Amino acid sequence: MEEHKNKLVIIGNGFDLAHGLKTSYNDFIKWYLLNICEFIKREASKFEDELIEVKLKNIQQMPDFIRRRSEDFKIEWFYEVYSSGVFNVKYKAPLLGKLLDNYRTYSWIDIETEYYESLIEIFYEGNKPYNNSKEYHISEVRKLNSEFEFFKKKLEEYLSTIECNNVNQDINSLFQSDYCDGYSEEDKKSKIVHYLNFNYTDTVEKYIVPQTNHRKNYIHGKLKNQDNPIIFGYGDEIDSHYEKIQNLNINEFLNNFKSFGYFKTDNYSNLLRFIESEPFDVEILGHSCGLSDRVLLNTIFEHDNCESIKIHYYQKSETENDFLSKTQEISRHFKDKAKMRKRIVNFKDCSPLVKFRK
């Protein structure tokens, strides 16, 4: 009989996306821009908040825009209406402008990574000979942090409008076979399944059987929960720039690093107690394993008690999946590459999170 060890199940945004939930940063920015356009349509004048100022320039062109259905809205429409002269747009927050410029190039938005890159730019700009002043650093980073805090509030507002009303049968089968029925009655009493949920949503709770060995850990916080506030920021303190930024001795530069958010609750210490207790296997369900969570994932993957890392990959088509790219992302969290090669489970023993269907 197969020995069942403790299991750490890492839940990422791909888990919500597999349920048809629009929880990506692209979806969030689309919602934000749509609300601006809808406001302009209603008021036929001007919209302004902490990030942007939008004025209507050409009311004669408004009817074409109004006839479009809001459910069909695309981020590209926003470019279209202001480039054609309908809107006059001023980015009060450079961070928003950078995000939209990146979308134009890559069709993808990553708020946390762009925030960190902007932080690095402020650091190096402030250390040029003509700008070498603490006052410059503080004023610029405070402005960036204010912009980022506004993004955080709007993201929480957006995600609070989303509900999951369905159970995915593929995912349900996975939970039942691997995390529930797969354990003997004796194992159910002694072995622990620790669900490390990086999402702010509670979609995973539709699958967790209320047993004593199933533990939920909303490591980045939970929507509408003051006792577990959301952590939104960057988590790569291994990065070569971080030590230089830290040595600048300006606390504002560190405000949005995730490590400091972990001190607000006992989630991180609960995770450490779990991984230090006895050997465990890791299973990844929908987490990108990107650098924004590098320190936390490094702590897990290189821990002496971690014995294997199994990827439930995204099956894009009959012939395409993201298994290779996911292993490449995971590799960046290993300093010891021998451990990486030993622990990542090979492709034939892994499976997709959701089966591809034509």
Side-chain angles (χ1 to χ4, degrees):
M1 179 180 290
E2 179 186 357
E3 178 188 359
H4 286 91
K5 295 186 287 293
N6 284 349
K7 192 166 290 187
L8 180 66
V9 183
I10 296 177
I11 308 290
N13 188 50
F15 188 87
D16 279 354
L17 296 177
H19 291 79
L21 304 183
K22 297 184 180 299
T23 53
S24 72
Y25 288 145
N26 284 31
D27 293 317
F28 162 57
I29 294 297
K30 185 169 77 170
W31 168 84
Y32 172 71
L33 295 177
L34 173 60
N35 282 345
I36 293 173
C37 293
E38 292 291 329
F39 181 89
I40 292 288
K41 287 199 298 185
R42 291 194 308 270
E43 303 297 327
S45 56
K46 171 185 173 182
F47 174 89
E48 184 175 6
D49 64 12
E50 286 86 340
L51 303 180
I52 197 169
E53 179 182 304
V54 182
K55 293 181 181 179
L56 177 64
K57 288 178 61 179
N58 191 337
I59 197 168
Q60 283 73 31
Q61 293 186 36
M62 279 295 287
D64 289 337
F65 179 60
I66 290 173
R67 281 197 291 270
R68 294 177 176 178
R69 301 188 308 166
S70 60
E71 57 265 34
D72 296 330
F73 182 85
K74 297 182 175 66
I75 294 176
E76 289 80 1
W77 286 14
F78 189 74
Y79 299 124
E80 177 187 329
V81 292
Y82 79 74
S83 62
S84 63
V86 179
F87 290 167
N88 181 31
V89 176
K90 175 185 176 183
Y91 293 120
K92 297 167 63 178
L95 182 58
L96 176 60
K98 290 178 181 178
L99 289 170
L100 293 179
D101 284 344
N102 280 350
Y103 180 82
R104 275 180 139 168
T105 305
Y106 304 109
S107 298
W108 191 253
I109 290 172
D110 188 337
I111 301 173
E112 292 169 312
T113 298
E114 191 58 53
Y115 165 80
Y116 184 53
E117 291 180 358
S118 297
L119 198 69
I120 293 171
E121 288 177 11
I122 292 172
F123 171 78
Y124 285 107
E125 184 69 24
N127 281 287
K128 289 181 179 179
Y130 58 84
N131 253 339
N132 193 10
S133 69
K134 193 168 185 177
E135 288 73 20
Y136 173 86
H137 282 118
I138 292 175
S139 63
E140 290 298 307
V141 78
R142 280 178 178 170
K143 184 177 185 302
L144 176 63
N145 286 344
S146 177
E147 297 169 13
F148 193 68
E149 184 64 25
F150 187 78
F151 271 110
K152 175 181 173 181
K153 290 178 181 177
K154 297 302 289 186
L155 176 63
E156 190 165 10
E157 178 186 339
Y158 169 64
L159 293 177
S160 296
T161 68
I162 297 174
E163 292 184 7
C164 181
N165 297 313
N166 65 297
V167 170
N168 184 290
Q169 292 306 315
D170 289 339
I171 294 176
N172 191 51
S173 297
L174 172 67
F175 271 72
Q176 293 302 316
S177 61
D178 284 9
Y179 315 139
C180 300
D181 296 340
Y183 284 84
S184 67
E185 289 304 316
E186 182 178 350
D187 280 346
K188 286 179 181 179
K189 296 176 183 178
S190 60
K191 302 303 178 184
I192 298 170
V193 182
H194 190 108
Y195 297 97
L196 190 67
N197 188 11
F198 284 76
N199 298 333
Y200 309 123
T201 58
D202 61 359
T203 312
V204 67
E205 296 199 28
K206 292 184 176 295
Y207 302 93
I208 298 176
V209 176
Q211 296 170 313
T212 56
N213 69 323
H214 285 216
R215 298 178 182 174
K216 297 173 289 186
N217 187 337
Y218 286 79
I219 189 68
H220 283 167
K222 189 176 182 180
L223 290 172
K224 304 176 185 177
N225 189 328
Q226 293 182 348
D227 295 327
N228 194 8
I230 71 170
I231 296 173
F232 186 49
Y234 204 72
D236 183 7
E237 295 153 39
I238 304 173
D239 179 81
S240 59
H241 304 291
Y242 180 79
E243 186 175 357
K244 296 177 183 178
I245 290 174
Q246 181 178 247
N247 291 340
L248 189 62
N249 201 28
I250 297 176
N251 287 343
E252 280 85 351
F253 270 91
L254 308 180
N255 282 1
N256 291 303
F257 278 88
K258 291 175 178 174
S259 287
F260 301 101
Y262 294 143
F263 296 137
K264 296 178 181 179
T265 68
D266 61 357
N267 294 331
Y268 194 85
S269 57
N270 288 339
L271 170 64
L272 290 181
R273 278 194 291 271
F274 169 77
I275 66 176
E276 290 170 359
S277 61
E278 60 180 278
F280 63 92
D281 293 325
V282 172
E283 295 204 18
I284 298 173
L285 278 62
H287 196 289
S288 66
C289 297
L291 292 179
S292 64
D293 292 311
R294 190 177 189 182
V295 171
L296 176 55
L297 294 178
N298 170 263
T299 300
I300 295 169
F301 295 160
E302 286 205 319
H303 197 282
D304 289 341
N305 279 339
C306 178
E307 298 198 346
S308 70
I309 302 170
K310 184 176 182 180
I311 302 168
H312 292 280
Y313 50 86
Y314 169 48
Q315 189 70 42
K316 300 177 183 179
S317 67
E318 288 183 277
T319 57
E320 290 182 283
N321 61 71
D322 70 345
F323 180 83
L324 175 60
S325 62
K326 193 63 64 68
T327 60
Q328 293 166 338
E329 295 292 344
I330 292 172
S331 74
R332 296 185 175 95
H333 304 296
F334 278 92
K335 298 175 185 176
D336 185 337
K337 301 305 182 185
K339 282 185 177 180
M340 176 199 72
R341 289 186 286 271
K342 179 180 179 181
R343 293 179 180 179
I344 294 179
V345 176
N346 63 65
F347 177 74
K348 70 180 183 64
D349 291 326
C350 292
S351 61
L353 179 61
V354 175
K355 296 175 183 176
F356 175 76
R357 295 177 174 82
K358 293 182 180 180

